[in-house]
Amino acid sequence: MLGLQLPTDPRWVNIVEKNIEEILTDHAYCEQKAASTAISLIVSFPEYTELVQEMVALVKEEISHFKMVHDRILERGWVMGRDRKDEYVIQITQFFPKGGSRTTQLVHRLLYAALIEARSCERFRLLSEELEDKELAEFYRKLMVSEANHYTMFLRFARQYGDRTEVDAKWKELLEFEAQVMKDLGKKETIHG
Ligand SMILES: [Fe+2]
Ligand SMILES: [Fe+2]
């Protein structure tokens, strides 16, 4: 699915179900980070006009996702807790060497964003299929569709702005690396854990 090489063990959902407060909290931060990534791309790469336009739309969409998750936290009588460390994102975003031309840096950031969207989408799909709470499962089904579109958009921009052959080779390497990282994950009640 989505080019990912290692599917998540469905038993991860059993861990999640025991702690819905934890998954919703972590998820709320993922949506915040998605919005701030889009803002950061707007700030750093103003000359990429089409990207800027799409990122403006994305900021709005991701912040609305944040509100939806936040509302669910409040509905259950909870107050949003502090941010969790996202080991997955920390490891993934160290894959490409730092530096290079502006275009290279942009391509790397777009590929990281595509990958994080793809893995989030895969996790949401699993939640939509396996969660006992059918209302929450339906919520994740809708979000899965949005994140799949974001994955496609980021990958398309990477291919558009970078050299197609080079970008495809980098994407393949990143996917292989991600599969290695994922081998140790799938044991925590967080979106990427
Ligand atoms: Fe989102
Ligand atoms: Fe997204």
Side-chain angles (χ1 to χ4, degrees), residues 118-137:
R119 183 56 74 179
S120 305
C121 179
E122 190 249 5
R123 290 290 175 94
F124 290 176
R125 182 187 54 83
L126 213 50
L127 292 172
S128 75
E129 289 172 357
E130 307 281 338
L131 277 177
E132 300 269 337
D133 181 334
K134 291 301 158 214
E135 197 269 335
L136 200 58

Side-chain angles (χ1 to χ4, degrees), residues 30-31 34-35 58 61-62 65 113 116-117 120 124 143 146-151 154:
C30 288
E31 299 294 356
L58 188 63
E61 193 183 343
E62 300 290 20
H65 290 171
I116 296 164
E117 293 283 3
S120 305
F124 290 176
L143 285 181
S146 304
E147 308 310 348
N149 289 332
H150 301 163
Y151 150 77
F154 279 120

Side-chain angles (χ1 to χ4, degrees), residues 168-187:
D168 284 347
K170 283 182 178 186
W171 177 238
K172 194 166 164 280
E173 285 169 26
L174 183 62
L175 286 169
E176 282 162 13
F177 173 69
E178 199 253 4
Q180 294 303 314
V181 171
M182 283 313 290
K183 276 187 182 158
D184 298 325
L185 300 175
K187 299 174 185 75

Side-chain angles (χ1 to χ4, degrees), residues 24-131:
L24 287 178
T25 304
D26 183 67
H27 179 187
Y29 281 105
C30 288
E31 299 294 356
Q32 272 189 12
K33 286 168 199 161
S36 65
T37 296
I39 291 179
S40 163
L41 287 168
I42 292 170
V43 172
S44 305
F45 299 97
E47 72 274 38
Y48 291 84
T49 306
E50 198 188 332
L51 177 73
V52 170
Q53 289 286 336
E54 287 294 330
M55 289 302 109
V56 171
L58 188 63
V59 174
K60 292 184 197 161
E61 193 183 343
E62 300 290 20
I63 209 70
S64 82
H65 290 171
F66 167 72
K67 181 168 170 17
M68 287 189 248
V69 183
H70 191 236
D71 286 346
R72 277 186 158 64
I73 292 172
L74 302 185
E75 272 163 25
R76 288 169 189 251
W78 299 322
V79 172
M80 189 165 154
R82 302 289 295 269
D83 192 9
R84 274 66 175 155
K85 207 164 145 192
D86 195 331
E87 274 303 332
Y88 170 81
V89 172
I90 293 170
Q91 287 192 57
I92 290 301
T93 52
Q94 282 167 4
F95 181 68
F96 294 120
K98 301 265 176 292
S101 71
R102 264 178 83 67
T103 310
T104 301
Q105 290 176 41
L106 172 61
V107 163
H108 292 169
R109 287 178 63 180
L110 293 169
L111 291 179
Y112 288 146
L115 183 61
I116 296 164
E117 293 283 3
R119 183 56 74 179
S120 305
C121 179
E122 190 249 5
R123 290 290 175 94
F124 290 176
R125 182 187 54 83
L126 213 50
L127 292 172
S128 75
E129 289 172 357
E130 307 281 338
L131 277 177

